Amino acid sequence: VLWASTLNAGARELANAVTAAVAGGISITDATPSRLSTLPRSSDGGGDSDEATHMLLYLNRSTWSGDGAEALAEQVRAARSARLPIVMAHENDV
């Protein structure tokens, strides 16, 4: 189960594309994993009700700027601390 944070612009769209390309092998959730106990939990999973096993981090020129950038950084720190695997995808910004 791939966690696509709502704070990571474009992550959900990428997760949907990956899911479509890998037939039946991946599900997506927007819910903050319970093992990241230092973070507020999402009230609506916005997807699969299963617990996330990986975090998707979609990187581009705006990932670490704007509203929510610090909160996303905190999610990444919490995921690393909890040893939640992070799958990173980098957009080629032009």
Side-chain angles (χ1 to χ4, degrees):
V1 178
L2 194 57
W3 172 39
S5 171
T6 57
L7 298 172
N8 190 192
R12 182 61 188 228
E13 292 79 8
L14 176 59
N16 289 338
V18 169
T19 300
V22 181
I26 300 173
S27 59
I28 308 165
T29 185
D30 295 334
T32 305
S34 62
R35 66 197 270 190
L36 307 185
S37 58
T38 60
L39 299 175
R41 295 278 296 152
S42 302
S43 57
D44 175 20
D48 202 315
S49 62
D50 292 336
E51 184 74 2
T53 58
H54 293 74
M55 176 184 194
L56 174 62
L57 181 58
Y58 179 62
L59 301 166
N60 59 38
R61 70 175 63 171
S62 63
T63 301
W64 306 117
S65 61
D67 295 341
E70 183 55 40
L72 176 60
E74 183 58 33
Q75 287 179 339
V76 171
R77 285 190 288 270
R80 288 179 47 88
S81 179
R83 297 186 177 265
L84 181 70
I86 301 173
V87 177
M88 293 184 275
H90 196 285
E91 179 179 310
N92 288 328
D93 297 314
V94 210

